[in-house]
PDB file of all heavy atoms in Angstrom:
ATOM      1  N   VAL M 212     131.695  66.799  33.456  1.00 92.00           N
ATOM      2  CA  VAL M 212     130.287  66.750  33.847  1.00 92.00           C
ATOM      3  C   VAL M 212     129.524  65.875  32.856  1.00 92.00           C
ATOM      4  O   VAL M 212     129.546  66.135  31.647  1.00 92.00           O
ATOM      5  CB  VAL M 212     129.670  68.161  33.882  1.00 92.00           C
ATOM      6  CG1 VAL M 212     128.206  68.095  34.284  1.00 92.00           C
ATOM      7  CG2 VAL M 212     130.451  69.057  34.832  1.00 92.00           C
ATOM      8  N   ASP M 213     128.873  64.842  33.357  1.00 90.00           N
ATOM      9  CA  ASP M 213     128.093  63.918  32.532  1.00 90.00           C
ATOM     10  C   ASP M 213     126.706  64.511  32.290  1.00 90.00           C
ATOM     11  O   ASP M 213     125.903  64.638  33.214  1.00 90.00           O
ATOM     12  CB  ASP M 213     127.988  62.567  33.243  1.00 90.00           C
ATOM     13  CG  ASP M 213     127.227  61.534  32.421  1.00 90.00           C
ATOM     14  OD1 ASP M 213     126.841  61.848  31.277  1.00 90.00           O
ATOM     15  OD2 ASP M 213     127.019  60.416  32.925  1.00 90.00           O
ATOM     16  N   LEU M 214     126.407  64.865  31.041  1.00 88.00           N
ATOM     17  CA  LEU M 214     125.129  65.505  30.728  1.00 88.00           C
ATOM     18  C   LEU M 214     123.965  64.520  30.684  1.00 88.00           C
ATOM     19  O   LEU M 214     122.816  64.938  30.561  1.00 88.00           O
ATOM     20  CB  LEU M 214     125.221  66.243  29.389  1.00 88.00           C
ATOM     21  CG  LEU M 214     126.170  67.438  29.353  1.00 88.00           C
ATOM     22  CD1 LEU M 214     126.124  68.110  27.989  1.00 88.00           C
ATOM     23  CD2 LEU M 214     125.840  68.438  30.446  1.00 88.00           C
ATOM     24  N   THR M 215     124.256  63.226  30.778  1.00 85.00           N
ATOM     25  CA  THR M 215     123.162  62.257  30.832  1.00 85.00           C
ATOM     26  C   THR M 215     122.619  62.117  32.246  1.00 85.00           C
ATOM     27  O   THR M 215     121.653  61.392  32.470  1.00 85.00           O
ATOM     28  CB  THR M 215     123.630  60.876  30.329  1.00 85.00           C
ATOM     29  OG1 THR M 215     124.659  60.370  31.197  1.00 85.00           O
ATOM     30  CG2 THR M 215     124.175  60.983  28.912  1.00 85.00           C
ATOM     31  N   THR M 216     123.243  62.809  33.200  1.00 84.00           N
ATOM     32  CA  THR M 216     122.790  62.804  34.590  1.00 84.00           C
ATOM     33  C   THR M 216     122.233  64.182  34.917  1.00 84.00           C
ATOM     34  O   THR M 216     122.994  65.126  35.138  1.00 84.00           O
ATOM     35  CB  THR M 216     123.958  62.471  35.542  1.00 84.00           C
ATOM     36  OG1 THR M 216     124.591  61.267  35.102  1.00 84.00           O
ATOM     37  CG2 THR M 216     123.467  62.296  36.964  1.00 84.00           C
ATOM     38  N   PRO M 217     120.897  64.352  34.947  1.00 80.00           N
ATOM     39  CA  PRO M 217     120.297  65.684  35.103  1.00 80.00           C
ATOM     40  C   PRO M 217     120.772  66.454  36.325  1.00 80.00           C
ATOM     41  O   PRO M 217     120.915  67.676  36.268  1.00 80.00           O
ATOM     42  CB  PRO M 217     118.794  65.386  35.181  1.00 80.00           C
ATOM     43  CG  PRO M 217     118.632  64.103  34.437  1.00 80.00           C
ATOM     44  CD  PRO M 217     119.878  63.313  34.728  1.00 80.00           C
ATOM     45  N   GLU M 218     121.047  65.754  37.449  1.00 80.00           N
ATOM     46  CA  GLU M 218     121.453  66.493  38.645  1.00 80.00           C
ATOM     47  C   GLU M 218     122.795  67.193  38.468  1.00 80.00           C
ATOM     48  O   GLU M 218     123.114  68.128  39.203  1.00 80.00           O
ATOM     49  CB  GLU M 218     121.503  65.571  39.867  1.00 80.00           C
ATOM     50  CG  GLU M 218     122.375  64.347  39.721  1.00 80.00           C
ATOM     51  CD  GLU M 218     121.595  63.125  39.280  1.00 80.00           C
ATOM     52  OE1 GLU M 218     120.555  63.297  38.607  1.00 80.00           O
ATOM     53  OE2 GLU M 218     122.030  62.007  39.609  1.00 80.00           O
ATOM     54  N   LYS M 219     123.586  66.766  37.478  1.00 82.00           N
ATOM     55  CA  LYS M 219     124.870  67.419  37.228  1.00 82.00           C
ATOM     56  C   LYS M 219     124.693  68.803  36.602  1.00 82.00           C
ATOM     57  O   LYS M 219     125.629  69.597  36.560  1.00 82.00           O
ATOM     58  CB  LYS M 219     125.733  66.550  36.310  1.00 82.00           C
ATOM     59  CG  LYS M 219     126.145  65.213  36.916  1.00 82.00           C
ATOM     60  CD  LYS M 219     127.041  65.396  38.121  1.00 82.00           C
ATOM     61  CE  LYS M 219     127.537  64.048  38.641  1.00 82.00           C
ATOM     62  NZ  LYS M 219     128.411  64.198  39.822  1.00 82.00           N
ATOM     63  N   TYR M 220     123.492  69.085  36.089  1.00 83.00           N
ATOM     64  CA  TYR M 220     123.243  70.394  35.483  1.00 83.00           C
ATOM     65  C   TYR M 220     123.299  71.514  36.522  1.00 83.00           C
ATOM     66  O   TYR M 220     123.330  72.685  36.172  1.00 83.00           O
ATOM     67  CB  TYR M 220     121.879  70.417  34.798  1.00 83.00           C
ATOM     68  CG  TYR M 220     121.803  69.618  33.518  1.00 83.00           C
ATOM     69  CD1 TYR M 220     122.902  68.931  33.026  1.00 83.00           C
ATOM     70  CD2 TYR M 220     120.622  69.552  32.792  1.00 83.00           C
ATOM     71  CE1 TYR M 220     122.828  68.205  31.856  1.00 83.00           C
ATOM     72  CE2 TYR M 220     120.536  68.827  31.613  1.00 83.00           C
ATOM     73  CZ  TYR M 220     121.640  68.151  31.153  1.00 83.00           C
ATOM     74  OH  TYR M 220     121.567  67.438  29.988  1.00 83.00           O
ATOM     75  N   THR M 221     123.285  71.159  37.805  1.00 87.00           N
ATOM     76  CA  THR M 221     123.349  72.178  38.856  1.00 87.00           C
ATOM     77  C   THR M 221     124.776  72.646  39.113  1.00 87.00           C
ATOM     78  O   THR M 221     124.986  73.549  39.919  1.00 87.00           O
ATOM     79  CB  THR M 221     122.768  71.624  40.166  1.00 87.00           C
ATOM     80  OG1 THR M 221     123.577  70.521  40.607  1.00 87.00           O
ATOM     81  CG2 THR M 221     121.334  71.153  39.965  1.00 87.00           C
ATOM     82  N   THR M 222     125.762  72.043  38.459  1.00 91.00           N
ATOM     83  CA  THR M 222     127.153  72.467  38.613  1.00 91.00           C
ATOM     84  C   THR M 222     127.259  73.969  38.371  1.00 91.00           C
ATOM     85  O   THR M 222     126.725  74.489  37.392  1.00 91.00           O
ATOM     86  CB  THR M 222     128.052  71.714  37.619  1.00 91.00           C
ATOM     87  OG1 THR M 222     127.956  70.308  37.873  1.00 91.00           O
ATOM     88  CG2 THR M 222     129.504  72.156  37.747  1.00 91.00           C
ATOM     89  N   LEU M 223     127.955  74.673  39.267  1.00 93.00           N
ATOM     90  CA  LEU M 223     128.057  76.124  39.150  1.00 93.00           C
ATOM     91  C   LEU M 223     129.303  76.519  38.364  1.00 93.00           C
ATOM     92  O   LEU M 223     130.404  76.028  38.615  1.00 93.00           O
ATOM     93  CB  LEU M 223     128.083  76.763  40.539  1.00 93.00           C
ATOM     94  CG  LEU M 223     126.797  76.588  41.358  1.00 93.00           C
ATOM     95  CD1 LEU M 223     126.938  77.263  42.720  1.00 93.00           C
ATOM     96  CD2 LEU M 223     125.591  77.147  40.610  1.00 93.00           C
ATOM     97  N   VAL M 224     129.105  77.426  37.417  1.00 95.00           N
ATOM     98  CA  VAL M 224     130.169  77.911  36.544  1.00 95.00           C
ATOM     99  C   VAL M 224     130.615  79.283  37.033  1.00 95.00           C
ATOM    100  O   VAL M 224     129.788  80.118  37.420  1.00 95.00           O
ATOM    101  CB  VAL M 224     129.671  77.997  35.089  1.00 95.00           C
ATOM    102  CG1 VAL M 224     130.754  78.547  34.177  1.00 95.00           C
ATOM    103  CG2 VAL M 224     129.213  76.617  34.615  1.00 95.00           C
ATOM    104  N   ALA M 225     131.934  79.531  37.022  1.00 95.00           N
ATOM    105  CA  ALA M 225     132.500  80.782  37.528  1.00 95.00           C
ATOM    106  C   ALA M 225     133.129  81.581  36.389  1.00 95.00           C
ATOM    107  O   ALA M 225     133.506  81.017  35.354  1.00 95.00           O
ATOM    108  CB  ALA M 225     133.546  80.489  38.600  1.00 95.00           C
ATOM    109  N   PRO M 226     133.253  82.907  36.565  1.00 96.00           N
ATOM    110  CA  PRO M 226     133.935  83.717  35.551  1.00 96.00           C
ATOM    111  C   PRO M 226     135.340  83.187  35.284  1.00 96.00           C
ATOM    112  O   PRO M 226     136.063  82.811  36.209  1.00 96.00           O
ATOM    113  CB  PRO M 226     133.980  85.111  36.189  1.00 96.00           C
ATOM    114  CG  PRO M 226     132.815  85.133  37.124  1.00 96.00           C
ATOM    115  CD  PRO M 226     132.724  83.736  37.666  1.00 96.00           C
ATOM    116  N   GLY M 227     135.713  83.143  34.011  1.00 95.00           N
ATOM    117  CA  GLY M 227     137.029  82.652  33.627  1.00 95.00           C
ATOM    118  C   GLY M 227     137.068  81.174  33.301  1.00 95.00           C
ATOM    119  O   GLY M 227     138.073  80.680  32.774  1.00 95.00           O
TER     120      GLY M 227
END
Side-chain angles (χ1 to χ4, degrees):
V212 180
D213 182 3
L214 294 182
T215 63
T216 308
E218 55 265 27
K219 295 296 185 180
Y220 288 0
T221 63
T222 300
L223 295 180
V224 178

